[in-house]
Coordinates of all heavy atoms in Angstrom, one line a residue:
V22 N 134.1 68.8 60.5 CA 135.0 68.6 59.4 C 134.7 69.4 58.2 O 133.5 69.4 57.8 CB 135.1 67.1 59.0 CG1 136.0 66.9 57.8 CG2 135.5 66.2 60.2
H23 N 135.6 70.1 57.7 CA 135.4 71.0 56.6 C 135.5 70.2 55.3 O 136.4 69.5 55.1 CB 136.5 72.1 56.5 CG 136.2 73.1 55.4 ND1 135.1 73.8 55.1 CD2 137.1 73.5 54.4 CE1 135.2 74.5 54.1 NE2 136.4 74.4 53.6
T24 N 134.4 70.4 54.5 CA 134.5 69.5 53.2 C 134.7 70.3 52.1 O 134.5 69.8 50.9 CB 133.0 68.7 53.1 OG1 132.0 69.8 53.0 CG2 132.9 67.8 54.3
G25 N 135.1 71.5 52.2 CA 135.5 72.4 51.0 C 134.3 73.3 50.7 O 133.1 73.2 51.3
G26 N 134.5 74.2 49.8 CA 133.4 75.2 49.5 C 133.5 76.4 50.4 O 134.3 76.6 51.3
F27 N 132.4 77.1 50.3 CA 132.2 78.4 51.1 C 131.4 78.1 52.4 O 130.5 77.3 52.3 CB 131.5 79.5 50.3 CG 132.4 80.0 49.1 CD1 131.7 79.9 47.8 CD2 133.5 80.4 49.3 CE1 132.5 80.4 46.8 CE2 134.3 80.9 48.2 CZ 133.7 80.9 46.9
I28 N 131.6 78.9 53.4 CA 130.8 79.0 54.6 C 129.5 79.6 54.2 O 129.4 80.5 53.3 CB 131.5 79.8 55.8 CG1 130.7 79.6 57.0 CG2 131.6 81.2 55.3 CD1 131.4 80.2 58.3
N29 N 128.4 79.0 54.8 CA 127.1 79.5 54.4 C 126.7 80.6 55.4 O 127.4 80.8 56.5 CB 126.1 78.4 54.6 CG 125.9 77.8 55.8 OD1 125.9 78.4 56.9 ND2 125.6 76.4 55.8
K30 N 125.7 81.4 55.2 CA 125.4 82.6 56.1 C 124.9 82.1 57.4 O 125.4 82.8 58.3 CB 124.2 83.2 55.4 CG 123.8 84.5 56.1 CD 122.8 85.3 55.3 CE 122.5 86.6 56.0 NZ 121.6 87.5 55.3
E31 N 124.2 81.0 57.6 CA 123.9 80.6 58.9 C 125.0 80.3 59.8 O 125.1 80.8 60.9 CB 123.0 79.3 58.9 CG 122.6 78.8 60.2 CD 121.8 77.5 60.0 OE1 121.4 77.0 58.8 OE2 121.5 76.8 61.1
N32 N 126.0 79.6 59.2 CA 127.3 79.3 60.1 C 128.0 80.6 60.2 O 128.6 80.8 61.4 CB 128.1 78.3 59.3 CG 127.5 76.9 59.5 OD1 126.7 76.6 60.3 ND2 127.9 76.1 58.5
F33 N 128.0 81.5 59.4 CA 128.8 82.8 59.5 C 128.1 83.7 60.7 O 128.8 84.2 61.5 CB 128.8 83.6 58.2 CG 129.6 84.8 58.4 CD1 131.0 84.8 58.2 CD2 129.1 86.0 58.6 CE1 131.7 86.0 58.5 CE2 129.8 87.2 58.7 CZ 131.1 87.2 58.7
V34 N 126.8 83.7 60.6 CA 126.2 84.4 61.7 C 126.4 83.9 63.0 O 126.6 84.6 64.0 CB 124.7 84.6 61.2 CG1 123.9 85.1 62.5 CG2 124.4 85.5 60.1
S35 N 126.5 82.5 63.1 CA 126.7 81.9 64.3 C 128.1 82.1 64.9 O 128.4 82.5 66.0 CB 126.5 80.3 64.1 OG 126.9 79.6 65.3
S36 N 129.1 82.3 64.0 CA 130.4 82.5 64.3 C 130.6 84.1 64.8 O 131.3 84.3 65.8 CB 131.4 82.4 63.1 OG 131.5 81.1 62.7
V37 N 129.9 85.0 64.1 CA 129.9 86.3 64.6 C 129.3 86.5 66.0 O 129.8 87.1 66.8 CB 129.1 87.2 63.6 CG1 128.7 88.5 64.1 CG2 130.0 87.3 62.3
N38 N 128.1 85.7 66.2 CA 127.5 85.8 67.4 C 128.3 85.3 68.6 O 128.4 85.8 69.7 CB 126.1 85.1 67.4 CG 125.1 85.9 66.6 OD1 125.2 87.2 66.4 ND2 124.1 85.3 66.0
F39 N 129.0 84.2 68.2 CA 130.0 83.6 69.2 C 131.0 84.6 69.6 O 131.4 84.8 70.8 CB 130.6 82.3 68.6 CG 131.6 81.7 69.5 CD1 131.1 80.7 70.5 CD2 132.9 82.0 69.5 CE1 132.0 80.0 71.4 CE2 133.8 81.4 70.4 CZ 133.3 80.4 71.3
A40 N 131.6 85.2 68.6 CA 132.6 86.2 68.8 C 132.1 87.3 69.7 O 132.8 87.8 70.7 CB 133.2 86.8 67.6
K41 N 131.0 87.9 69.4 CA 130.4 89.0 70.1 C 130.0 88.6 71.5 O 130.4 89.2 72.6 CB 129.1 89.5 69.4 CG 128.7 90.7 70.0 CD 129.6 91.9 69.8 CE 128.9 93.2 70.4 NZ 129.8 94.2 70.5
D42 N 129.4 87.4 71.6 CA 129.0 86.9 73.0 C 130.2 86.7 74.0 O 130.1 86.7 75.1 CB 128.3 85.7 72.8 CG 126.9 85.9 72.3 OD1 126.4 87.1 72.1 OD2 126.3 85.0 71.8
H43 N 131.4 86.4 73.4 CA 132.6 86.1 74.1 C 133.6 87.3 74.2 O 134.7 87.1 74.6 CB 133.3 84.9 73.5 CG 132.6 83.6 74.0 ND1 131.5 83.4 73.1 CD2 132.6 82.7 74.8 CE1 131.0 82.1 73.6 NE2 131.7 81.8 74.7
G44 N 133.0 88.4 74.0 CA 133.8 89.7 74.2 C 134.9 90.0 73.2 O 135.7 90.9 73.5
L45 N 134.9 89.3 72.0 CA 135.9 89.6 71.0 C 135.7 90.9 70.3 O 134.4 91.3 70.2 CB 136.0 88.5 70.0 CG 136.4 87.1 70.6 CD1 136.4 86.1 69.6 CD2 137.8 87.2 71.3
C46 N 136.7 91.6 70.0 CA 136.4 93.0 69.2 C 136.8 92.9 67.8 O 136.2 93.7 67.0 CB 137.3 93.9 69.9 SG 137.2 94.2 71.6
N47 N 137.5 92.0 67.3 CA 137.9 91.9 66.0 C 137.4 90.6 65.3 O 137.3 89.6 65.9 CB 139.6 91.8 65.7 CG 140.2 93.1 66.2 OD1 139.8 94.2 65.9 ND2 141.2 93.0 67.1
F48 N 137.0 90.8 64.0 CA 136.7 89.6 63.3 C 137.4 89.6 62.0 O 137.4 90.4 61.2 CB 135.1 89.7 63.0 CG 134.5 88.3 62.7 CD1 134.1 87.6 63.6 CD2 134.4 87.8 61.4 CE1 133.5 86.3 63.4 CE2 133.8 86.8 61.1 CZ 133.5 85.9 62.1
F49 N 138.2 88.6 61.8 CA 139.1 88.3 60.6 C 138.4 87.5 59.5 O 137.9 86.4 59.9 CB 140.4 87.7 61.0 CG 141.1 88.5 62.0 CD1 140.9 88.4 63.3 CD2 142.1 89.5 61.5 CE1 141.7 89.2 64.3 CE2 142.7 90.2 62.4 CZ 142.6 90.1 63.8
L50 N 138.4 88.1 58.3 CA 137.9 87.2 57.1 C 139.2 86.8 56.4 O 140.0 87.6 55.9 CB 137.1 88.2 56.3 CG 135.9 88.8 57.0 CD1 135.2 89.8 56.1 CD2 135.0 87.7 57.4
H51 N 139.4 85.5 56.4 CA 140.6 84.9 55.6 C 140.3 83.5 55.2 O 139.3 82.9 55.5 CB 141.8 85.2 56.6 CG 141.7 84.4 57.8 ND1 142.1 83.1 58.0 CD2 141.3 84.8 59.0 CE1 142.0 82.8 59.3 NE2 141.4 83.7 59.9
G52 N 141.3 82.9 54.9 CA 141.3 81.3 54.6 C 141.0 81.3 53.1 O 140.0 81.7 52.6
G53 N 141.9 80.8 52.4 CA 141.8 80.8 50.9 C 141.9 82.3 50.4 O 142.6 83.0 50.9
E54 N 141.0 82.7 49.6 CA 140.8 84.1 49.3 C 139.5 84.6 49.5 O 138.4 84.2 48.7 CB 141.1 84.2 47.7 CG 141.0 85.6 47.2 CD 141.7 86.7 48.0 OE1 142.7 86.4 48.5 OE2 141.0 87.7 48.2
P55 N 139.2 85.4 50.7 CA 137.9 85.8 51.0 C 137.1 86.6 49.9 O 135.9 86.4 49.9 CB 138.2 86.6 52.4 CG 139.6 87.0 52.1 CD 140.3 85.9 51.5
T56 N 137.8 87.3 49.1 CA 137.0 88.0 48.2 C 136.5 87.3 47.1 O 135.6 87.7 46.3 CB 138.0 89.1 47.5 OG1 139.1 88.4 46.8 CG2 138.4 90.1 48.4
M57 N 136.8 85.9 47.0 CA 136.1 85.0 46.1 C 134.7 84.5 46.6 O 133.9 84.0 45.8 CB 136.9 83.8 45.9 CG 138.3 84.1 45.2 SD 138.2 84.9 43.8 CE 137.8 83.5 42.6
H58 N 134.4 84.8 47.9 CA 133.1 84.4 48.4 C 132.1 85.4 47.9 O 132.2 86.6 48.0 CB 133.1 84.5 49.9 CG 132.0 83.7 50.6 ND1 130.7 84.1 50.4 CD2 131.9 82.5 51.2 CE1 129.8 83.2 51.0 NE2 130.6 82.3 51.5
P59 N 131.0 84.9 47.3 CA 130.0 85.8 46.7 C 129.2 86.7 47.7 O 128.6 87.6 47.3 CB 129.0 84.8 46.1 CG 129.2 83.4 46.8 CD 130.6 83.4 47.1
D60 N 129.3 86.3 49.0 CA 128.6 87.0 50.1 C 129.6 87.8 51.0 O 129.2 88.3 52.2 CB 127.7 86.2 50.9 CG 126.7 85.4 50.1 OD1 126.0 86.1 49.2 OD2 126.4 84.2 50.3
I61 N 130.8 88.0 50.6 CA 131.9 88.6 51.4 C 131.4 89.9 51.9 O 131.6 90.3 53.2 CB 133.2 88.7 50.8 CG1 134.3 88.9 51.9 CG2 133.3 89.6 49.7 CD1 134.5 87.9 52.8
V62 N 130.9 90.7 51.1 CA 130.4 92.1 51.5 C 129.3 92.1 52.5 O 129.4 92.7 53.6 CB 130.0 93.0 50.3 CG1 129.4 94.3 50.8 CG2 131.2 93.1 49.3
D63 N 128.3 91.2 52.3 CA 127.2 91.0 53.3 C 127.9 90.5 54.6 O 127.3 90.9 55.7 CB 126.1 90.1 52.7 CG 125.4 90.8 51.7 OD1 125.2 92.0 51.5 OD2 124.8 89.9 50.8
F64 N 128.7 89.5 54.4 CA 129.3 89.0 55.8 C 130.1 90.0 56.6 O 130.0 90.2 57.8 CB 130.4 87.9 55.4 CG 129.6 86.7 55.1 CD1 128.2 86.5 54.9 CD2 130.4 85.5 54.7 CE1 127.6 85.3 54.6 CE2 129.8 84.2 54.4 CZ 128.4 84.2 54.4
A65 N 130.8 90.9 55.8 CA 131.5 92.1 56.6 C 130.4 93.0 57.2 O 130.6 93.4 58.3 CB 132.4 92.8 55.6
R66 N 129.4 93.4 56.5 CA 128.3 94.1 57.1 C 127.7 93.5 58.4 O 127.5 94.2 59.4 CB 127.3 94.4 56.1 CG 127.6 95.3 55.1 CD 126.3 95.9 54.3 NE 126.8 96.9 53.4 CZ 126.8 96.5 52.1 NH1 126.4 95.3 51.6 NH2 127.2 97.5 51.1
I67 N 127.4 92.3 58.4 CA 127.0 91.5 59.4 C 127.9 91.6 60.7 O 127.4 92.0 61.7 CB 126.7 90.0 59.1 CG1 125.5 89.8 58.1 CG2 126.5 89.2 60.3 CD1 125.4 88.5 57.5
A68 N 129.2 91.4 60.5 CA 130.1 91.5 61.6 C 130.3 93.0 62.1 O 130.2 93.3 63.3 CB 131.4 90.9 61.2
K69 N 130.2 93.9 61.2 CA 130.3 95.3 61.5 C 129.1 95.8 62.3 O 129.2 96.4 63.2 CB 130.7 96.2 60.3 CG 130.8 97.5 60.6 CD 131.0 98.4 59.2 CE 131.0 99.9 59.5 NZ 131.2 100.6 58.4
N70 N 128.0 95.3 61.8 CA 126.7 95.9 62.5 C 126.5 95.3 63.9 O 125.7 96.0 64.6 CB 125.5 95.3 61.6 CG 125.4 96.2 60.3 OD1 126.0 97.3 60.2 ND2 124.6 95.7 59.4
V71 N 127.2 94.2 64.3 CA 127.1 94.0 65.7 C 128.3 94.5 66.5 O 128.5 94.3 67.7 CB 127.1 92.4 65.8 CG1 125.9 91.8 65.3 CG2 128.4 91.7 65.5
G72 N 129.1 95.4 65.9 CA 130.1 96.1 66.7 C 131.5 95.6 66.6 O 132.4 96.1 67.2
L73 N 131.8 94.6 65.7 CA 133.0 94.0 65.5 C 133.9 94.7 64.5 O 133.3 95.3 63.6 CB 132.9 92.5 65.1 CG 132.2 91.6 66.0 CD1 132.1 90.3 65.4 CD2 133.1 91.5 67.4
T74 N 135.1 94.9 64.7 CA 136.0 95.4 63.8 C 136.4 94.4 62.7 O 136.8 93.4 63.3 CB 137.4 95.9 64.5 OG1 137.0 97.0 65.3 CG2 138.3 96.4 63.3
V75 N 136.2 94.7 61.5 CA 136.4 93.7 60.5 C 137.7 93.8 59.8 O 138.0 94.9 59.3 CB 135.3 93.6 59.4 CG1 135.5 92.7 58.2 CG2 133.9 93.4 60.1
K76 N 138.5 92.7 59.7 CA 139.8 92.8 59.1 C 139.8 91.7 58.0 O 139.4 90.6 58.3 CB 141.0 92.8 60.1 CG 141.0 93.8 61.1 CD 142.2 93.9 61.8 CE 142.3 95.0 62.9 NZ 143.4 95.1 63.6
M77 N 140.3 91.9 56.9 CA 140.3 90.8 55.9 C 141.8 90.7 55.4 O 142.5 91.7 55.1 CB 139.4 91.2 54.8 CG 139.5 90.2 53.6 SD 138.0 90.3 52.5 CE 138.3 91.9 51.8
F78 N 142.2 89.5 55.3 CA 143.5 89.2 54.8 C 143.3 88.6 53.3 O 142.6 87.6 53.2 CB 144.3 88.1 55.6 CG 144.6 88.6 57.1 CD1 143.7 88.5 58.0 CD2 145.7 89.4 57.3 CE1 143.9 89.0 59.4 CE2 146.0 90.0 58.5 CZ 145.1 89.8 59.5
T79 N 143.9 89.3 52.4 CA 143.6 89.1 51.0 C 144.8 89.3 50.1 O 145.6 90.1 50.4 CB 142.4 89.8 50.4 OG1 142.2 89.5 49.1 CG2 142.6 91.3 50.6
N80 N 144.9 88.6 49.1 CA 146.0 88.8 48.1 C 145.6 89.9 47.1 O 146.2 90.4 46.2 CB 146.5 87.6 47.4 CG 145.3 87.0 46.4 OD1 144.4 87.6 46.1 ND2 145.4 85.7 46.1
G81 N 144.3 90.3 47.3 CA 143.9 91.5 46.5 C 143.3 91.0 45.1 O 143.1 91.8 44.2
K82 N 143.1 89.7 45.0 CA 142.7 89.2 43.6 C 141.6 89.8 43.1 O 141.3 90.1 41.9 CB 142.6 87.7 43.8 CG 142.3 87.0 42.4 CD 142.4 85.5 42.6 CE 142.3 84.8 41.2 NZ 142.9 83.5 41.2
K83 N 140.6 90.0 44.0 CA 139.3 90.6 43.6 C 138.9 91.8 44.4 O 137.9 92.3 44.7 CB 138.1 89.7 43.7 CG 138.0 88.6 42.7 CD 136.9 87.7 42.8 CE 135.6 88.5 42.4 NZ 134.4 87.7 42.4
D84 N 140.1 92.5 44.8 CA 139.9 93.7 45.6 C 139.1 94.9 45.0 O 138.3 95.6 45.7 CB 141.4 94.3 45.8 CG 141.4 95.5 46.8 OD1 140.7 95.4 47.9 OD2 141.9 96.5 46.5
S85 N 139.0 95.0 43.7 CA 138.3 95.9 43.1 C 136.7 95.7 43.4 O 136.1 96.7 43.3 CB 138.5 95.9 41.6 OG 138.1 94.7 41.0
M86 N 136.4 94.6 43.6 CA 135.0 94.3 43.9 C 134.5 95.0 45.1 O 133.5 95.5 45.2 CB 134.8 92.7 44.2 CG 133.4 92.5 44.6 SD 133.3 90.8 45.4 CE 134.1 91.1 47.0
I87 N 135.4 95.3 46.0 CA 135.1 96.1 47.3 C 135.4 97.5 47.1 O 134.7 98.4 47.5 CB 135.8 95.4 48.4 CG1 135.3 94.0 48.7 CG2 135.7 96.2 49.7 CD1 136.3 93.1 49.5
T88 N 136.6 97.7 46.8 CA 137.1 99.3 46.9 C 136.6 100.1 45.8 O 136.5 101.4 45.9 CB 138.6 99.3 46.9 OG1 139.1 98.6 45.6 CG2 139.2 98.6 48.0
N89 N 136.1 99.6 44.7 CA 135.7 100.3 43.5 C 134.2 100.6 43.4 O 133.6 101.3 42.7 CB 136.2 99.8 42.2 CG 137.7 99.9 42.1 OD1 138.3 100.7 42.8 ND2 138.3 99.0 41.2
H90 N 133.4 99.9 44.3 CA 132.0 100.1 44.3 C 131.5 100.7 45.5 O 131.6 100.3 46.7 CB 131.4 98.6 44.1 CG 131.8 97.8 43.0 ND1 131.6 98.4 41.7 CD2 132.2 96.6 42.7 CE1 131.9 97.7 40.7 NE2 132.4 96.5 41.4
K91 N 131.0 101.8 45.3 CA 130.5 102.7 46.3 C 129.6 102.0 47.4 O 129.7 102.2 48.6 CB 129.8 103.9 45.7 CG 129.8 105.2 46.6 CD 129.2 106.3 45.8 CE 129.6 107.6 46.5 NZ 129.2 108.7 45.8
K92 N 128.7 101.2 46.8 CA 127.7 100.5 47.8 C 128.4 99.5 48.7 O 127.8 99.2 49.7 CB 126.6 99.9 47.0 CG 127.2 98.7 46.1 CD 125.9 98.1 45.3 CE 126.5 96.8 44.6 NZ 125.4 96.1 43.9
H93 N 129.6 99.1 48.3 CA 130.3 98.2 49.2 C 131.2 98.9 50.3 O 131.6 98.3 51.2 CB 131.1 97.1 48.4 CG 130.3 96.4 47.6 ND1 129.0 95.9 47.8 CD2 130.6 95.9 46.2 CE1 128.6 95.2 46.8 NE2 129.4 95.2 45.9
R94 N 131.6 100.1 49.9 CA 132.6 100.7 50.8 C 132.2 100.8 52.3 O 133.0 100.6 53.1 CB 133.0 102.1 50.2 CG 133.8 102.0 49.0 CD 134.3 103.4 48.7 NE 134.9 103.3 47.4 CZ 135.1 104.3 46.6 NH1 134.5 105.5 46.9 NH2 135.7 104.2 45.4
A95 N 131.0 101.0 52.6 CA 130.5 101.3 54.0 C 130.8 100.0 54.7 O 130.9 100.0 55.9 CB 128.9 101.6 54.0
A96 N 130.7 98.8 54.0 CA 130.9 97.6 54.8 C 132.4 97.5 55.4 O 132.6 96.8 56.4 CB 130.6 96.4 54.0
F97 N 133.3 98.2 54.7 CA 134.7 98.0 55.1 C 135.3 99.3 55.5 O 136.4 99.4 56.0 CB 135.5 97.5 53.8 CG 135.1 96.1 53.6 CD1 134.3 95.8 52.6 CD2 135.8 95.0 54.3 CE1 133.9 94.4 52.3 CE2 135.4 93.7 54.0 CZ 134.6 93.4 53.0
E98 N 134.6 100.4 55.4 CA 135.0 101.7 55.7 C 135.6 101.8 57.3 O 135.0 101.3 58.1 CB 134.0 102.8 55.7 CG 134.4 104.2 55.8 CD 133.4 105.2 55.6 OE1 132.2 104.9 55.7 OE2 133.7 106.3 55.2
N99 N 136.9 102.2 57.3 CA 137.6 102.3 58.6 C 137.9 100.9 59.2 O 138.4 100.7 60.4 CB 136.9 103.2 59.7 CG 136.8 104.5 59.1 OD1 137.8 105.0 58.5 ND2 135.7 105.2 59.3
Y100 N 137.5 99.8 58.6 CA 137.8 98.4 59.1 C 138.5 97.6 58.1 O 138.5 96.5 58.4 CB 136.3 97.8 59.4 CG 135.5 98.7 60.5 CD1 134.6 99.6 60.0 CD2 135.9 98.4 61.8 CE1 133.8 100.3 60.9 CE2 135.1 99.3 62.7 CZ 134.2 100.1 62.3 OH 133.4 100.8 63.2
Y101 N 138.8 98.0 57.1 CA 139.4 97.1 56.0 C 141.0 97.3 56.0 O 141.6 98.3 55.9 CB 138.8 97.7 54.7 CG 139.1 97.0 53.4 CD1 138.9 95.6 53.3 CD2 139.7 97.6 52.4 CE1 139.3 94.9 52.2 CE2 140.0 97.0 51.1 CZ 139.8 95.6 51.1 OH 140.1 94.9 50.0
Q102 N 141.4 96.1 56.1 CA 143.0 96.0 56.2 C 143.4 94.9 55.2 O 142.9 93.8 55.2 CB 143.4 95.7 57.4 CG 144.8 95.4 57.6 CD 145.2 95.1 59.1 OE1 144.3 95.3 60.0 NE2 146.4 94.6 59.3
I103 N 144.2 95.1 54.3 CA 144.8 94.2 53.4 C 146.2 93.8 53.9 O 147.1 94.8 54.0 CB 144.9 94.6 52.0 CG1 143.5 94.9 51.4 CG2 145.6 93.5 51.0 CD1 143.5 95.4 50.0
T104 N 146.4 92.6 54.1 CA 147.8 92.3 54.4 C 148.3 91.0 53.8 O 147.5 90.3 53.2 CB 148.1 91.8 56.0 OG1 147.1 90.9 56.3 CG2 147.8 93.2 56.7

């Protein structure tokens, strides 16, 4: 049961490993507004580093956090989609 708040790193890594272990290729970051999560860039890197294509559904509220900072671009490069 979800009690609100953000997913923690341990649960996120578990989800990424589940996806990879079951042959999934894409990993979607969504639900609420993903750019509000303080670890969203690290989470994208975690999924990308195991070979998953990362896609994020966002309203762009904090899009500048990702697209305007050079150090964050690699996490989403060629894998970043706003819809």
Side-chain angles (χ1 to χ4, degrees):
V22 174
H23 182 56
T24 59
F27 294 126
I28 187 172
N29 64 37
K30 186 174 183 177
E31 179 183 351
N32 287 339
F33 183 82
V34 169
S35 178
S36 297
V37 167
N38 290 335
F39 179 89
K41 187 67 177 173
D42 292 347
H43 288 84
L45 301 176
C46 300
N47 296 311
F48 201 87
F49 296 89
L50 303 173
H51 62 87
E54 175 48 42
T56 60
M57 299 301 287
H58 195 294
D60 298 319
I61 194 65
V62 173
D63 290 334
F64 285 1
R66 281 193 185 105
I67 290 167
K69 182 179 175 185
N70 287 341
V71 300
L73 296 170
T74 297
V75 177
K76 296 184 179 187
M77 180 167 58
F78 296 94
T79 177
N80 63 18
K82 188 170 187 160
K83 287 185 70 178
D84 184 49
S85 62
M86 175 194 77
I87 296 163
T88 58
N89 292 338
H90 298 307
K91 207 173 197 178
K92 68 180 182 176
H93 299 322
R94 284 190 190 154
F97 293 96
E98 189 173 21
N99 299 323
Y100 299 95
Y101 183 52
Q102 174 181 349
I103 297 176
T104 56

